[in-house]
């Protein structure tokens, strides 16, 4: 055991491990990368996080920089839950619901809490967090905050950031701060502090004022965004100031979150689900736009394309037979209505029918949970693709989270189909089409050097397509190592330089999850690709249909 590990073991309440197995286990997340940590820390409490961070800061002051990576369940697909220094693993101990105030709906939780467990607990009180990712059963709430995760209902309710009220964060020097929206007066007080926290408020406020044009330019014209740093929501016109939106989605690169305060919403298990199938892609996308421009408020609009349906019906012929008799449609849309009153839901569906009736081939409305479960199999069939392999070819989470403005969607989809055709790859699209967010995963054999090179060529080409359509490379899964190299091109020089300034302000010694999101180059990440990419620890959850 190294001296650093020994010191930590002597001073922490939680465990410290350098066992080969543990290091190997934490050397992968659900991205295509592999980076082995040198020490695994299981913090027992915030004090352990503070102590570890303070120690690493002191080492960095003396010129010895050891990276630190906070980690939830490690389901990240961008390579952001990996690092070669200290791996700070939260689910072991820091996994409690600290407080649940049913009157205000406020939940205070520790970051290592399993998201599904939190959601189940909330359901028993008829409450929930609507921005849950589809990975909730096997991921943590800390990871969702780290990535600014989102899911199907984010169409109506926004991403994680919309529901986080305040955070406790351990800063790079070990100081603990609580973030929340501060009035102008409260901000003044913070700026008067002679601590690292005071320094951050002073410098950040000055930099945001000075670079106001770049702050404005950092806003992408999309409804969800997990790329870059959220600078635009820190300072409001009334002078109020909040670091919370900045930490949400920062992937552990600015500070380590030890407690999260969330607003929960009333949970209504009664929904109406509409399945609309189309024999024409343009008609389906036009229908999505019509709904978006109308007064209708579905809670989600999800899509599955013909290619996915075709693949799934070949792999598992019985799965969709009862809901989608042949011939398969070009596109299926699933629209959910979650209004609390049945009357409002029914009216929504009546209006929807009027709006899209000319374009749609078949329309099924389900209010019965069993019937809905059958229809939802269509959307969940993407997990059949994800857990499928063809020889050594596997679907790779490489170009799977881009989001574009809705008016760009038809052109974007056409370009993505062409990209796959040009590269002789099998294509399939699915996702939250109502937001302009579509996933796809090319089948590649990463054991072959040529295929690994192809992966980066694909990423380059995909990135250009997303930029052409004014989109963001990641709606919900973060830049990490995978998309970090494209951040400068996505945002342009001024905004990217501002991101770098903010990172340096919070992390002057660059040890908070370095090599993630910011200052990442393709040359640095190429050697990290693991030939043996697989869903490993997820097979017990997939496929879910
Ligand atoms: C099959 C599959 C489906 C998925 N579906 C979705 C989806 O629908 N929507 C979606 O948004 N994502 C999805 N993801 C990606 C991922 O599961 C989510 O983003 C999830 O919220 C990450 O949680 P985690 O606990 O695994 O976090 P991790 O992977 O452990 O970490 C994620 C990021 O958060 C940081 N982090 C973790 N804890 C802390 C902390 N305490 N302080 C600061 N930073 C921290 C990490 O350093 C890392 O950068 C999916 C992934 C898979 C494999």
């Amino acid at each position: 055991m190294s001296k650093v590990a020994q010191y930590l073991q002597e001073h922490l309440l939680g465990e410290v491990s350098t066992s080969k197995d543990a290091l190997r286990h934490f050397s992968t997340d659900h991205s295509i990368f592999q980076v082995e940590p040198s020490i695994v820390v299981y913090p027992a409490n915030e004090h352990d996080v503070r102590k570890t961070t303070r120690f690493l800061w002191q080492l960095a002051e003396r010129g010895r920089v050891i990276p630190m990576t906070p980690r939830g369940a490690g389901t990240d697909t961008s390579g952001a839950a990996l690092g070669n220094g200290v791996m700070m693993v939260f689910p072991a101990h820091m996994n409690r619901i600290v407080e649940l105030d049913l009157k205000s709906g406020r939940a205070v939780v520790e970051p290592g809490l399993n998201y599904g467990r939190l959601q189940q607990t909330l359901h028993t009180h008829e409450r929930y967090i609507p921005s849950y990712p589809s990975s909730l059963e096997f991921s943590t709430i800390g990871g969702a905050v780290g990535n600014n995760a989102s899911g199907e209902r984010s169409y109506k309710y926004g991403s994680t950031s919309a529901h986080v009220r305040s955070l406790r964060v351990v800063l790079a020097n070990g100081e603990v701060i609580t973030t929340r929206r501060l009035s102008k007066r409260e901000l003044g007080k913070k700026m008067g502090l002679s601590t690292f926290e005071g320094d951050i408020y002073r410098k950040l406020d000055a930099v945001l004022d000075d670079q106001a044009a770049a702050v404005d330019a950092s806003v992408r014209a999309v409804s969800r965004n997990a790329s870059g740093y959220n600078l635009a929501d820190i300072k409001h016109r009334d002078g109020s100031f909040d670091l919370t939106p900045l930490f949400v989605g920062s992937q552990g690169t600015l500070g380590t979150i030890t407690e999260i305060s969330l607003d929960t919403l009333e949970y209504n298990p009664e929904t109406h689900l509409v399945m609309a199938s189309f024999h024409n892609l343009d008609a389906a996308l036009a229908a999505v736009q019509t709904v978006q421009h109308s007064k209708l408020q579905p809670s989600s609009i999800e899509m599955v394309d013909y290619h996915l349906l075709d693949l799934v019906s070949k792999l598992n012929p019985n799965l969709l037979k009862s809901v989608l008799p042949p011939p398969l449609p070009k596109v299926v849309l699933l629209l959910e209505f979650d209004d609390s009153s049945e009357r409002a839901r029914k009216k929504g569906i009546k209006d929807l029918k009027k709006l899209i009736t000319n374009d749609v081939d078949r329309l099924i409305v389900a209010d019965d949970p069993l019937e809905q479960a059958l229809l939802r199999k269509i959307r969940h069939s993407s997990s059949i693709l994800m857990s499928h392999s063809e020889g050594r070819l596997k679907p790779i989470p490489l170009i799977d989270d881009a989001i574009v403005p809705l008016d760009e969607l038809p052109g974007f989809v056409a370009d993505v189909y062409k990209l796959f055709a040009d590269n002789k790859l099998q294509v399939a699209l699915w996702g939250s089409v109502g937001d302009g967010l579509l996933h796809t995963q090319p089948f590649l054999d990463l054991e072959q050097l040529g295929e690994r090179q192809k992966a980066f060529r694909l990423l380059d080409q995909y990135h250009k397509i997303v930029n052409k359509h004014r989109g963001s490379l990641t709606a919900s899964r973060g830049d990490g190592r995978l998309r970090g190299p494209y951040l400068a091109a996505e945002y342009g020089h001024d905004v990217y330089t501002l991101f770098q300034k903010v990172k340096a302000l919070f992390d002057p010694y660059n040890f908070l999850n370095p090599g993630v999101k910011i200052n990442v180059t393709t040359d640095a990440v190429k050697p990290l690709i693991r030939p043996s990419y697989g869903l490993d620890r997820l097979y017990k959850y997939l496929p879910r249909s």
Side-chain angles (χ1 to χ4, degrees), residues 211 213-215 217-218 220 227-229 231 479-480 483-504 515-522:
Q211 303 282 318
V215 173
S218 71
R220 310 292 293 168
S227 122
Y229 291 129
L231 303 177
D479 304 298
R483 291 170 278 256
Y486 299 94
L487 214 54
E490 180 176 336
Y491 283 93
H493 175 266
D494 290 357
V495 176
Y496 189 69
T497 308
L498 182 55
F499 287 162
Q500 287 175 312
K501 270 191 190 150
V502 171
K503 164 73 177 168
V516 163
K517 194 180 269 287
I518 211 81
N519 302 326
V520 195
T521 62
T522 311

Short mmCIF file of all heavy atoms in Angstrom, two decimals, residues 211 213-215 217-218 220 227-229 231 479-480 483-504 515-522:
data_model
loop_
_atom_site.label_atom_id
_atom_site.label_comp_id
_atom_site.label_asym_id
_atom_site.label_seq_id
_atom_site.Cartn_x
_atom_site.Cartn_y
_atom_site.Cartn_z
N GLN A 211 -17.47 38.69 -18.83
CA GLN A 211 -17.64 37.85 -20.03
C GLN A 211 -19.13 37.62 -20.34
O GLN A 211 -19.53 36.52 -20.73
CB GLN A 211 -17.00 36.48 -19.80
CG GLN A 211 -15.53 36.53 -19.45
CD GLN A 211 -14.69 36.77 -20.68
OE1 GLN A 211 -14.92 36.20 -21.72
NE2 GLN A 211 -13.72 37.65 -20.55
N ALA A 213 -21.06 38.41 -22.66
CA ALA A 213 -21.40 37.98 -24.03
C ALA A 213 -21.15 36.48 -24.19
O ALA A 213 -21.96 35.76 -24.79
CB ALA A 213 -20.57 38.76 -25.04
N ALA A 214 -20.04 36.01 -23.61
CA ALA A 214 -19.73 34.58 -23.71
C ALA A 214 -20.74 33.77 -22.90
O ALA A 214 -21.12 32.66 -23.29
CB ALA A 214 -18.31 34.31 -23.23
N VAL A 215 -21.18 34.32 -21.76
CA VAL A 215 -22.19 33.61 -20.95
C VAL A 215 -23.46 33.44 -21.79
O VAL A 215 -24.03 32.34 -21.86
CB VAL A 215 -22.50 34.37 -19.64
CG1 VAL A 215 -23.66 33.70 -18.90
CG2 VAL A 215 -21.26 34.42 -18.75
N ALA A 217 -23.68 33.44 -25.01
CA ALA A 217 -23.40 32.54 -26.13
C ALA A 217 -23.30 31.08 -25.69
O ALA A 217 -23.33 30.17 -26.52
CB ALA A 217 -22.10 32.96 -26.82
N SER A 218 -23.18 30.84 -24.39
CA SER A 218 -23.05 29.45 -23.92
C SER A 218 -24.39 28.72 -23.89
O SER A 218 -24.45 27.52 -23.64
CB SER A 218 -22.41 29.41 -22.52
OG SER A 218 -23.32 29.90 -21.55
N ARG A 220 -27.30 26.89 -25.52
CA ARG A 220 -27.62 26.22 -26.78
C ARG A 220 -29.13 26.28 -26.99
O ARG A 220 -29.90 26.26 -26.02
CB ARG A 220 -27.19 24.75 -26.76
CG ARG A 220 -25.78 24.50 -26.33
CD ARG A 220 -24.76 25.00 -27.31
NE ARG A 220 -24.77 24.27 -28.56
CZ ARG A 220 -24.13 24.67 -29.66
NH1 ARG A 220 -23.49 25.81 -29.67
NH2 ARG A 220 -24.14 23.93 -30.75
N SER A 227 -23.97 19.44 -21.70
CA SER A 227 -22.62 19.68 -22.19
C SER A 227 -22.09 21.01 -21.64
O SER A 227 -22.84 21.93 -21.35
CB SER A 227 -22.66 19.62 -23.72
OG SER A 227 -22.21 20.79 -24.29
N GLY A 228 -20.79 21.07 -21.46
CA GLY A 228 -20.16 22.29 -20.93
C GLY A 228 -20.56 22.54 -19.49
O GLY A 228 -20.95 21.63 -18.75
N TYR A 229 -20.43 23.81 -19.06
CA TYR A 229 -20.88 24.22 -17.72
C TYR A 229 -22.09 25.14 -17.88
O TYR A 229 -22.11 25.98 -18.78
CB TYR A 229 -19.77 24.97 -16.98
CG TYR A 229 -18.58 24.12 -16.59
CD1 TYR A 229 -17.28 24.51 -16.92
CD2 TYR A 229 -18.75 22.93 -15.88
CE1 TYR A 229 -16.19 23.75 -16.55
CE2 TYR A 229 -17.65 22.16 -15.52
CZ TYR A 229 -16.38 22.57 -15.86
OH TYR A 229 -15.30 21.80 -15.50
N LEU A 231 -23.46 28.13 -17.15
CA LEU A 231 -23.06 29.43 -16.61
C LEU A 231 -24.23 30.42 -16.60
O LEU A 231 -24.27 31.33 -15.78
CB LEU A 231 -21.93 30.03 -17.47
CG LEU A 231 -20.67 29.16 -17.62
CD1 LEU A 231 -19.66 29.83 -18.54
CD2 LEU A 231 -20.04 28.90 -16.26
N ASP A 479 -20.24 15.22 -21.12
CA ASP A 479 -19.14 15.26 -22.09
C ASP A 479 -18.10 14.19 -21.79
O ASP A 479 -17.63 13.49 -22.70
CB ASP A 479 -18.45 16.63 -22.06
CG ASP A 479 -19.41 17.77 -22.29
OD1 ASP A 479 -20.01 17.81 -23.38
OD2 ASP A 479 -19.59 18.60 -21.39
N GLY A 480 -17.71 14.12 -20.52
CA GLY A 480 -16.73 13.13 -20.09
C GLY A 480 -15.48 13.15 -20.94
O GLY A 480 -15.00 14.19 -21.39
N ARG A 483 -16.86 13.06 -25.26
CA ARG A 483 -17.28 14.24 -26.01
C ARG A 483 -16.49 15.50 -25.63
O ARG A 483 -16.58 16.52 -26.30
CB ARG A 483 -18.78 14.47 -25.81
CG ARG A 483 -19.62 13.39 -26.48
CD ARG A 483 -21.08 13.45 -26.10
NE ARG A 483 -21.34 12.81 -24.83
CZ ARG A 483 -21.91 11.61 -24.69
NH1 ARG A 483 -22.29 10.94 -25.75
NH2 ARG A 483 -22.10 11.09 -23.49
N GLY A 484 -15.69 15.38 -24.54
CA GLY A 484 -14.86 16.53 -24.12
C GLY A 484 -14.05 17.12 -25.25
O GLY A 484 -13.98 18.35 -25.39
N PRO A 485 -13.41 16.29 -26.11
CA PRO A 485 -12.58 16.86 -27.17
C PRO A 485 -13.35 17.75 -28.15
O PRO A 485 -12.73 18.51 -28.90
CB PRO A 485 -12.03 15.61 -27.90
CG PRO A 485 -12.10 14.51 -26.90
CD PRO A 485 -13.29 14.82 -26.04
N TYR A 486 -14.67 17.65 -28.17
CA TYR A 486 -15.45 18.41 -29.16
C TYR A 486 -16.07 19.69 -28.58
O TYR A 486 -16.75 20.44 -29.28
CB TYR A 486 -16.57 17.53 -29.74
CG TYR A 486 -15.99 16.33 -30.44
CD1 TYR A 486 -15.85 15.12 -29.78
CD2 TYR A 486 -15.54 16.42 -31.75
CE1 TYR A 486 -15.27 14.02 -30.40
CE2 TYR A 486 -14.97 15.34 -32.39
CZ TYR A 486 -14.84 14.14 -31.72
OH TYR A 486 -14.27 13.07 -32.33
N LEU A 487 -15.84 19.89 -27.30
CA LEU A 487 -16.49 21.00 -26.62
C LEU A 487 -16.09 22.37 -27.21
O LEU A 487 -16.94 23.24 -27.41
CB LEU A 487 -16.12 20.95 -25.13
CG LEU A 487 -17.17 21.40 -24.13
CD1 LEU A 487 -18.47 20.66 -24.33
CD2 LEU A 487 -16.66 21.19 -22.71
N ALA A 488 -14.79 22.52 -27.49
CA ALA A 488 -14.32 23.82 -28.01
C ALA A 488 -14.99 24.12 -29.35
O ALA A 488 -15.43 25.25 -29.60
CB ALA A 488 -12.81 23.81 -28.16
N ALA A 489 -15.09 23.11 -30.21
CA ALA A 489 -15.70 23.34 -31.52
C ALA A 489 -17.21 23.59 -31.38
O ALA A 489 -17.79 24.37 -32.13
CB ALA A 489 -15.45 22.14 -32.42
N GLU A 490 -17.82 22.94 -30.39
CA GLU A 490 -19.27 23.12 -30.21
C GLU A 490 -19.58 24.55 -29.75
O GLU A 490 -20.53 25.17 -30.23
CB GLU A 490 -19.78 22.10 -29.17
CG GLU A 490 -21.29 22.21 -28.93
CD GLU A 490 -21.82 21.15 -27.97
OE1 GLU A 490 -21.19 20.08 -27.83
OE2 GLU A 490 -22.88 21.39 -27.35
N TYR A 491 -18.78 25.05 -28.82
CA TYR A 491 -19.12 26.35 -28.21
C TYR A 491 -18.35 27.53 -28.78
O TYR A 491 -18.73 28.68 -28.54
CB TYR A 491 -18.87 26.28 -26.70
CG TYR A 491 -19.97 25.54 -25.97
CD1 TYR A 491 -19.85 24.19 -25.70
CD2 TYR A 491 -21.12 26.19 -25.55
CE1 TYR A 491 -20.85 23.50 -25.03
CE2 TYR A 491 -22.13 25.52 -24.87
CZ TYR A 491 -21.99 24.17 -24.62
OH TYR A 491 -22.98 23.50 -23.96
N GLY A 492 -17.24 27.26 -29.46
CA GLY A 492 -16.42 28.35 -29.97
C GLY A 492 -15.40 28.80 -28.93
O GLY A 492 -15.52 28.49 -27.73
N HIS A 493 -14.41 29.56 -29.40
CA HIS A 493 -13.24 29.90 -28.58
C HIS A 493 -13.60 30.64 -27.29
O HIS A 493 -13.14 30.29 -26.21
CB HIS A 493 -12.28 30.73 -29.44
CG HIS A 493 -11.11 31.24 -28.67
ND1 HIS A 493 -11.09 32.49 -28.08
CD2 HIS A 493 -9.94 30.64 -28.34
CE1 HIS A 493 -9.95 32.65 -27.44
NE2 HIS A 493 -9.23 31.55 -27.59
N ASP A 494 -14.44 31.68 -27.40
CA ASP A 494 -14.69 32.53 -26.22
C ASP A 494 -15.37 31.76 -25.09
O ASP A 494 -15.00 31.88 -23.93
CB ASP A 494 -15.57 33.73 -26.61
CG ASP A 494 -14.79 34.69 -27.49
OD1 ASP A 494 -13.59 34.42 -27.73
OD2 ASP A 494 -15.39 35.68 -27.96
N VAL A 495 -16.41 30.98 -25.47
CA VAL A 495 -17.14 30.24 -24.43
C VAL A 495 -16.23 29.17 -23.83
O VAL A 495 -16.18 28.99 -22.61
CB VAL A 495 -18.43 29.61 -25.01
CG1 VAL A 495 -19.14 28.77 -23.96
CG2 VAL A 495 -19.36 30.68 -25.55
N TYR A 496 -15.49 28.49 -24.70
CA TYR A 496 -14.64 27.41 -24.19
C TYR A 496 -13.57 27.97 -23.25
O TYR A 496 -13.29 27.40 -22.18
CB TYR A 496 -13.99 26.65 -25.35
CG TYR A 496 -13.27 25.40 -24.87
CD1 TYR A 496 -14.01 24.32 -24.39
CD2 TYR A 496 -11.89 25.33 -24.85
CE1 TYR A 496 -13.37 23.17 -23.92
CE2 TYR A 496 -11.24 24.19 -24.39
CZ TYR A 496 -11.99 23.12 -23.93
OH TYR A 496 -11.36 21.99 -23.45
N THR A 497 -13.01 29.13 -23.61
CA THR A 497 -12.00 29.76 -22.74
C THR A 497 -12.63 30.10 -21.39
O THR A 497 -12.00 29.97 -20.34
CB THR A 497 -11.44 31.03 -23.41
OG1 THR A 497 -11.02 30.68 -24.72
CG2 THR A 497 -10.28 31.61 -22.65
N LEU A 498 -13.88 30.53 -21.43
CA LEU A 498 -14.57 30.84 -20.17
C LEU A 498 -14.75 29.57 -19.33
O LEU A 498 -14.56 29.58 -18.10
CB LEU A 498 -15.92 31.50 -20.51
CG LEU A 498 -16.78 31.96 -19.33
CD1 LEU A 498 -16.01 32.91 -18.42
CD2 LEU A 498 -18.04 32.66 -19.84
N PHE A 499 -15.13 28.47 -19.97
CA PHE A 499 -15.23 27.18 -19.25
C PHE A 499 -13.90 26.86 -18.57
O PHE A 499 -13.85 26.43 -17.42
CB PHE A 499 -15.57 26.03 -20.22
CG PHE A 499 -16.99 26.01 -20.74
CD1 PHE A 499 -17.31 25.27 -21.88
CD2 PHE A 499 -18.01 26.70 -20.11
CE1 PHE A 499 -18.60 25.22 -22.37
CE2 PHE A 499 -19.31 26.67 -20.60
CZ PHE A 499 -19.61 25.93 -21.73
N GLN A 500 -12.81 27.06 -19.32
CA GLN A 500 -11.48 26.75 -18.77
C GLN A 500 -11.18 27.63 -17.55
O GLN A 500 -10.63 27.17 -16.56
CB GLN A 500 -10.40 26.95 -19.84
CG GLN A 500 -10.40 25.87 -20.89
CD GLN A 500 -9.41 26.17 -22.01
OE1 GLN A 500 -9.38 27.28 -22.53
NE2 GLN A 500 -8.60 25.18 -22.37
N LYS A 501 -11.58 28.91 -17.66
CA LYS A 501 -11.34 29.84 -16.54
C LYS A 501 -12.11 29.38 -15.30
O LYS A 501 -11.59 29.42 -14.18
CB LYS A 501 -11.84 31.24 -16.92
CG LYS A 501 -10.79 32.08 -17.58
CD LYS A 501 -11.25 33.52 -17.69
CE LYS A 501 -10.27 34.27 -18.57
NZ LYS A 501 -10.83 35.36 -19.30
N VAL A 502 -13.35 28.98 -15.52
CA VAL A 502 -14.19 28.54 -14.39
C VAL A 502 -13.58 27.29 -13.75
O VAL A 502 -13.48 27.18 -12.52
CB VAL A 502 -15.64 28.29 -14.86
CG1 VAL A 502 -16.47 27.62 -13.77
CG2 VAL A 502 -16.29 29.61 -15.28
N LYS A 503 -13.15 26.36 -14.59
CA LYS A 503 -12.52 25.14 -14.06
C LYS A 503 -11.29 25.51 -13.22
O LYS A 503 -11.11 25.01 -12.10
CB LYS A 503 -12.14 24.23 -15.24
CG LYS A 503 -11.16 23.11 -14.94
CD LYS A 503 -11.76 21.98 -14.13
CE LYS A 503 -10.74 20.85 -13.93
NZ LYS A 503 -11.16 19.88 -12.94
N ALA A 504 -10.45 26.42 -13.73
CA ALA A 504 -9.22 26.78 -13.02
C ALA A 504 -9.52 27.51 -11.71
O ALA A 504 -8.79 27.38 -10.73
CB ALA A 504 -8.35 27.66 -13.92
N GLY A 515 -9.11 15.43 -16.98
CA GLY A 515 -9.24 14.59 -18.19
C GLY A 515 -10.68 14.33 -18.54
O GLY A 515 -10.99 13.53 -19.43
N VAL A 516 -11.60 15.00 -17.83
CA VAL A 516 -13.03 14.85 -18.09
C VAL A 516 -13.60 16.22 -18.46
O VAL A 516 -13.22 17.23 -17.85
CB VAL A 516 -13.73 14.30 -16.81
CG1 VAL A 516 -15.23 14.50 -16.86
CG2 VAL A 516 -13.40 12.83 -16.63
N LYS A 517 -14.45 16.25 -19.44
CA LYS A 517 -15.20 17.45 -19.86
C LYS A 517 -14.31 18.57 -20.43
O LYS A 517 -14.49 19.00 -21.54
CB LYS A 517 -16.04 17.99 -18.70
CG LYS A 517 -17.08 19.01 -19.14
CD LYS A 517 -17.90 19.52 -17.99
CE LYS A 517 -19.15 18.74 -17.72
NZ LYS A 517 -20.22 18.93 -18.68
N ILE A 518 -13.36 19.04 -19.64
CA ILE A 518 -12.63 20.25 -20.02
C ILE A 518 -11.16 19.91 -20.25
O ILE A 518 -10.63 19.01 -19.58
CB ILE A 518 -12.82 21.32 -18.91
CG1 ILE A 518 -12.79 22.71 -19.48
CG2 ILE A 518 -11.90 21.16 -17.76
CD1 ILE A 518 -14.09 23.12 -20.08
N ASN A 519 -10.51 20.59 -21.19
CA ASN A 519 -9.10 20.32 -21.50
C ASN A 519 -8.88 18.87 -21.89
O ASN A 519 -7.90 18.24 -21.48
CB ASN A 519 -8.19 20.68 -20.32
CG ASN A 519 -8.33 22.13 -19.91
OD1 ASN A 519 -8.55 23.00 -20.76
ND2 ASN A 519 -8.26 22.41 -18.63
N VAL A 520 -9.78 18.30 -22.66
CA VAL A 520 -9.65 16.91 -23.11
C VAL A 520 -9.28 16.90 -24.58
O VAL A 520 -9.86 17.66 -25.36
CB VAL A 520 -10.98 16.13 -22.95
CG1 VAL A 520 -10.74 14.64 -23.06
CG2 VAL A 520 -11.67 16.47 -21.65
N THR A 521 -8.35 16.05 -24.97
CA THR A 521 -8.00 15.96 -26.39
C THR A 521 -8.23 14.53 -26.88
O THR A 521 -8.19 13.58 -26.10
CB THR A 521 -6.50 16.29 -26.63
OG1 THR A 521 -5.73 15.32 -25.93
CG2 THR A 521 -6.15 17.68 -26.15
N THR A 522 -8.48 14.42 -28.19
CA THR A 522 -8.68 13.09 -28.77
C THR A 522 -7.44 12.23 -28.57
O THR A 522 -7.54 11.05 -28.26
CB THR A 522 -8.99 13.23 -30.28
OG1 THR A 522 -10.00 14.20 -30.43
CG2 THR A 522 -9.47 11.93 -30.87
#
